[in-house]
Each structure stands twice: as structure tokens, then as C-alpha cells.
Amino acid sequence: MFNKKNMHRFIKTIYHLYVEQGILLTECLDIMGKSAGKTRVKTAALYVEEELRQGNMLSNALKTCPAISFDNTTVTFVDFSEKTGSLGETLSFLKERCERKEKAGSAIAEAAVYPCFVIFLSIFVSALMIFYADSVLQESFMKGSLLKSLFADFCFLLLFCALSFLFLRRSLGDDPLYEAFLSVGFLIKHGVNASLAVGLGANILGLDSRYGQIFLRARLRLEDGKSLVQAFCGNEKEGGFRDKEILEAFYYAQKSGGKNDVFERISARLGKKIERKNALLLSLVEPLFTGGTGLYLIVLMGNFLMPVMNSLNLM
């Protein structure tokens, strides 16, 4: 988590100095290295600057940096930018990628507020129940029965909140397919060979994932001279996409000759879908956990009132 934050801060800072202010790369790193305090970003900047002054490539310096562990996607993008002379554009793309990841993290943090509130409210209510039961119930076995019920109900609530939060975290987090199409489109637009760009997309998706396998097969087919339609489309047995919009985009690009921007168009469509899905999920967070809390309180009150009423009858 902290490594990711440091990596994002490093990329955004070097983007600000190199792209926005037009400072030479080594001078950017020197400025970052002379910043106040002792941080991993500062240590990384000093290391990368020293590597560059010794004649090493920026991508190699990032790959071997001990202070910050840069992910393979960042290192690969920088490596391609060095070969194509597009470091400024690449830093802009990586900065936007960092912002997308931070936005996804903020959405997850926002979604976590209500579950935390539900848990604290339930702890407070349960504590009141236990305190009141201790003063009202006379029989120890009734107190024990109530405590067991409270514990079981609270465990159920914790499980409900944990599973719901994990579902929201997975749904609101990064969308690898969107990132893969966006990255491939960017690389092709800046002169990278289509098969190499698609191979990077496979790495972003994960080589063991279903979509990663589709991109990997597509790379091999592109290397054999196949068209984009032949590389990415096909039935399930052939390992192709089955999404109607993606298939239509590839077929349209094949006919119209817009092969260079087809990946960006697909990523734009996926981005709009993601925004609608995230908006829907965030709108469901409050009613979902309100319902779960209400069910918990109903069960809790039922388990509490039964022993109390039995105790009063005995009296």
C-alpha cells in the first residue's frame, strides 16, 4: 500500500517537473533528491539520478530501484518510451493511470465508511443489551443464553459486512480489461508494434486469467500475420472475445481502416460502462447496509426480549 503511494508520488512529481515545467530529467531528479525530509521518493530520486549519470537507462534504473518497487507496467512503458522518444507522453499516461487508481481507492474508502459505522453502532447496541441484561436477568443460565445469542448475531453481522465490503472492493477497484485496452491503444498510437503492445496488455490482465489468455493468443496470431479480427475474435474454443460491442469495434476497424485507434475506442466504451456500474454500486451501499443492520437489530431484540420476558414471568 505504502509502496504504491510512493510510486504514484514519484511519477506525479517527475511529470510535474519534466512535462509541465520542461526541466531536464536529471535536474528533475536532482530537485526531488534535494527535497526536505527523508522519504522513499527522495531516496529513489537520488538513486535514479545516479544511475542516469552513470549512463544507465531510466527503465533499468526504475527496475532496480531499492527504495520503491515500480510495477512491471510502469517499467515496460518507460522502456518503450525510450525506444520511441515519447517519454513526456508516457509520463502523462502513467500520471493519469495513477490518478485512476487513486480514484478507485477513494471510491473503496467511501464505500467502507458505512460498514464501519454499522459495526460500531452494533457494538454500542450490543454493549447496552449486555449491561441491561446484567441488571435485569436474575438467572445466570439466561444471561449465558443471551450472551451466546448476541455473540452469534454479531458474528453474522461481521460476516455480512466483510463479504459485502469485499464484493464492493472487487467491483469498485481497477478494471484490468479497461487498463489493458487503454494501454495497448496508447502504445500503438506512439509507434509500438501491435503484437508487442498486445503482449503488454496480456501482462496487465494476468497471463493466467481468461482475458489474459485471449490477449496472449492474439499476440501470437498477430505475429503470424493475422488481422485484428482474426486475432481477437472467435468462438469460445478458439479463445476469442464474445462481447458484442468489442466484436463490433474490431469488425468496424477492419473495414474502415481505423486499426490504430480501435483499442482506445473500446477502452472509452468500457470506461463509460465502469462509471455507470460504480455509480450504481455506490448508490446501493447505504440501503444494503441499512437493511443488514435492521435485520441484525430485529434478531437482536428478539433474542433479548425472550430471556427478559421469561425472567419477569419467573419473578
Side-chain angles (χ1 to χ4, degrees):
M1 178 179 177
F2 291 108
N3 181 76
K4 185 182 293 185
K5 287 184 178 180
N6 288 325
M7 183 179 70
H8 290 180
R9 192 181 308 162
F10 184 95
I11 293 172
K12 292 166 76 172
T13 304
I14 203 169
Y15 163 82
H16 172 69
L17 295 172
Y18 182 80
V19 178
E20 293 186 339
Q21 297 191 16
I23 302 173
L24 292 175
L25 184 59
T26 51
E27 293 180 11
C28 294
L29 295 165
D30 184 60
I31 292 171
M32 293 169 65
K34 291 178 179 177
S35 60
K38 185 178 181 181
T39 64
R40 287 189 175 272
V41 173
K42 177 178 179 178
T43 305
L46 291 171
Y47 174 83
V48 174
E49 180 190 7
E50 181 62 25
E51 289 292 302
L52 292 182
R53 294 193 185 280
Q54 291 179 7
N56 294 317
M57 303 294 286
L58 176 60
S59 56
N60 291 332
L62 296 179
K63 187 176 182 180
T64 58
C65 181
I68 299 176
S69 179
F70 292 91
D71 59 28
N72 290 331
T73 301
T74 299
V75 174
T76 304
F77 264 79
V78 172
D79 179 50
F80 282 136
S81 74
E82 291 168 336
K83 295 173 181 176
T84 58
S86 57
L87 181 59
E89 293 89 343
T90 300
L91 288 175
S92 298
F93 180 85
L94 292 174
K95 189 263 298 185
E96 292 171 358
R97 176 172 175 259
C98 293
E99 291 174 346
R100 287 194 301 273
K101 289 181 175 293
E102 289 170 357
K103 183 178 179 181
S106 298
I108 294 171
E110 182 182 341
V113 171
Y114 208 80
C116 292
F117 170 75
V118 166
I119 292 173
F120 283 118
L121 176 63
S122 303
I123 292 174
F124 177 72
V125 173
S126 300
L128 287 179
M129 294 286 192
I130 294 172
F131 176 77
Y132 188 69
D134 187 61
S135 60
V136 172
L137 298 180
Q138 303 297 324
E139 300 293 336
S140 60
F141 76 90
M142 289 186 178
K143 294 180 183 178
S145 176
L146 177 60
L147 290 175
K148 289 179 182 178
S149 299
L150 287 172
F151 180 74
D153 295 340
F154 188 67
C155 288
F156 169 78
L157 180 67
L158 282 179
L159 180 63
F160 169 77
C161 289
L163 292 177
S164 300
F165 177 70
L166 289 175
F167 169 75
L168 289 171
R169 181 180 180 182
R170 182 176 180 181
S171 302
L172 294 172
D174 295 337
D175 189 293
L177 187 60
Y178 168 75
E179 291 291 341
F181 273 110
L182 191 64
S183 299
V184 172
F186 173 84
L187 291 172
I188 292 177
K189 186 177 180 180
H190 288 83
V192 177
N193 179 273
S195 61
L196 291 176
V198 170
L200 175 62
N203 289 327
I204 292 174
L205 290 162
L207 298 180
D208 295 331
S209 68
R210 173 176 168 266
Y211 288 133
Q213 286 292 311
I214 291 176
F215 270 67
L216 194 59
R217 294 190 191 98
R219 175 184 177 175
L220 297 175
R221 291 167 183 168
L222 288 171
E223 289 176 347
D224 290 338
K226 303 291 185 181
S227 67
L228 285 176
V229 173
Q230 292 171 322
F232 280 96
C233 304
N235 56 39
E236 185 174 359
K237 186 177 180 181
E238 295 171 344
F241 279 105
R242 299 192 297 274
D243 185 277
K244 184 178 179 181
E245 291 188 357
I246 293 178
L247 294 177
E248 288 178 351
F250 278 121
Y251 279 115
Y252 178 78
Q254 188 71 27
K255 292 181 180 180
S256 64
K259 302 175 185 177
N260 290 340
D261 61 351
V262 61
F263 291 95
E264 289 186 336
R265 291 204 304 270
I266 292 174
S267 67
R269 292 183 182 182
L270 292 174
K272 291 179 181 178
K273 282 186 176 180
I274 293 169
E275 288 179 1
R276 291 195 296 268
K277 180 195 71 174
N278 289 351
L280 176 62
L281 287 172
L282 288 173
S283 68
L284 293 175
V285 169
E286 186 173 344
L288 174 67
F289 285 99
T290 299
T293 307
L295 179 62
Y296 167 75
L297 292 176
I298 290 172
V299 175
L300 190 66
M301 290 299 296
N303 290 334
F304 172 73
L305 290 174
M306 290 284 290
V308 171
M309 292 177 66
N310 290 335
S311 178
L312 293 175
N313 291 333
L314 291 173
M315 295 172 64

